Amino acid sequence: MRAAVLTELGATPVVADFREPEAAEGQVVLDMLAGGLNPFDLRVSSGALPDRAPPVPSVVGSEGVGRTADGRRVYFARSIRPWGSIAERDLTEEAALVDVPDTVGDAQALAFGISGTAAWGALTRRGRLQPGERVLVLGASGIVGTIAVQAAKLLGAAHVTAAARSDEGLARARERGADATVKLEGEDLTQAFLDAAGGPIDLVIDPLWGAPASAALEALAERGRLVHLGQSAGAEATFTSVNLRFKELSILGYTNFMSTPQQQADALHAMWKHAAAGELVADVETFPLDDAPAAWERQAGSPRAKLVIIP
């Protein structure tokens, strides 16, 4: 079969022939309809995470939409190595399959996969968003942030502030329902957040960390929460002890890996339902399998859309 094959850790994959997957008990081979790229794929393939380093050679990609031998169209988030989702066929655990409704297309279903469930889970499972609360979404120009802005409104937030470095991204956030925006520049981001939100903030969704997270925590209301799910602005953030203690603030980590399969499936079905109704939108760029290396390089540049490979 044809696949995007990693031949060296840290290298761009090449499109080449790779051996066909064979299913053991509890596993299933899928004819791939669409494979998604994620920042995590590049990080793992670089060898930066030794405990997750893939074998070489292996097929890249972990999530996709495929069809089973009996005709089910399904979503999955993890491939069984050395196979991957950027290929004509892939191997995954049968128990991990989530049936995709006819109301959403292959690429659209993928757009709300790993990225969407991160946004949804950060708001619900960890952030425990309550109707009427004020929410600040950092990194609102990225796909996780864009979905988080929309999902916060759908889940009952009274006011959503979107923060990003890009003017284009902030304009898109306003189009998608943000009540206010803040450009991540200047010396007093905390006051900018408070002014935009119209007062202290109850919940921060943070895929950035670094200085934006430090400023956002200072803008939290008493017993406010900051859910941290990425570090694209830096690996370290500094917080004042007094603010953290005397407001009884919470800093909560988030990863999809800690969600149960049922929580992931519930989040997907909720988002797919909103997407089918036109209430939730995600930007997607599609590429043929032969252009997988170009898509890989584009993913390294932090694209604003979900990159999907159609084999």
Side-chain angles (χ1 to χ4, degrees):
M1 68 171 185
R2 300 282 285 168
V5 180
L6 183 73
T7 59
E8 179 183 350
L9 292 181
T12 297
V14 297
V15 178
D17 291 328
F18 199 81
R19 68 183 187 276
E20 295 280 350
E22 296 181 6
E25 185 176 354
Q27 300 174 347
V28 60
V29 175
L30 299 172
D31 289 322
M32 292 302 299
L33 301 172
L37 285 180
N38 296 280
F40 187 71
D41 296 322
L42 275 66
R43 186 164 172 77
V44 168
S45 296
S46 73
L49 305 174
D51 60 326
R52 295 181 181 272
V56 176
S58 62
V59 180
V60 299
S62 55
E63 72 167 339
V65 171
R67 197 172 296 280
T68 63
D70 60 1
R72 292 167 61 199
R73 189 168 64 110
V74 294
Y75 168 86
F76 63 96
R78 297 183 191 179
S79 300
I80 297 173
R81 299 301 177 213
W83 293 279
S85 61
I86 312 302
E88 293 176 325
R89 280 166 292 283
D90 195 7
L91 182 68
T92 189
E93 299 288 343
E94 190 168 10
L97 301 180
V98 181
D99 287 279
V100 179
D102 293 337
T103 50
V104 294
D106 301 330
Q108 187 181 36
L110 269 178
F112 297 104
I114 289 174
S115 300
T117 52
W120 195 272
L123 286 162
T124 57
R125 181 172 68 81
R126 294 297 278 159
R128 299 190 181 278
L129 172 62
Q130 300 300 309
E133 289 190 320
R134 291 188 178 101
V135 176
L136 168 63
V137 178
L138 302 176
S141 60
I143 185 155
V144 173
T146 301
I147 294 173
V149 166
Q150 299 171 82
K153 297 294 286 188
L154 290 169
L155 290 164
H159 189 283
V160 176
T161 301
R165 292 183 291 266
S166 161
D167 289 327
E168 178 187 354
L170 292 175
R172 185 166 58 250
R174 285 191 291 269
E175 293 171 0
R176 302 282 165 85
D179 298 291
T181 60
V182 173
K183 190 167 185 178
L184 293 175
E185 62 181 14
E187 295 184 359
D188 197 350
L189 279 178
T190 296
Q191 191 59 51
F193 293 151
L194 290 168
D195 291 344
I201 294 158
D202 300 294
L203 175 62
V204 175
I205 303 301
D206 168 40
L208 301 182
W209 207 233
S214 299
L217 194 95
E218 297 290 326
L220 280 175
E222 292 180 357
R223 293 179 179 163
R225 295 94 66 206
L226 183 148
V227 181
H228 167 59
L229 61 156
Q231 58 176 50
S232 59
E236 297 182 356
T238 303
F239 308 105
T240 62
S241 172
V242 170
N243 189 52
L244 188 63
R245 285 185 294 124
F246 284 92
K247 287 186 181 178
E248 292 193 348
L249 304 180
S250 297
I251 301 173
L252 305 161
Y254 177 86
T255 174
N256 279 348
F257 294 118
M258 294 294 286
S259 296
T260 67
Q262 190 60 56
Q263 287 171 330
Q264 291 291 87
D266 289 346
L268 285 166
H269 282 297
M271 288 185 289
W272 289 338
K273 182 178 179 180
H274 286 300
E279 299 167 339
L280 193 55
V281 179
D283 297 311
V284 175
E285 288 185 42
T286 60
F287 299 79
L289 181 56
D290 284 344
D291 289 346
W296 187 269
E297 295 291 340
R298 181 161 173 73
Q299 182 65 61
S302 301
R304 305 305 184 192
K306 177 71 174 184
L307 304 188
V308 175
I309 313 300
I310 308 297

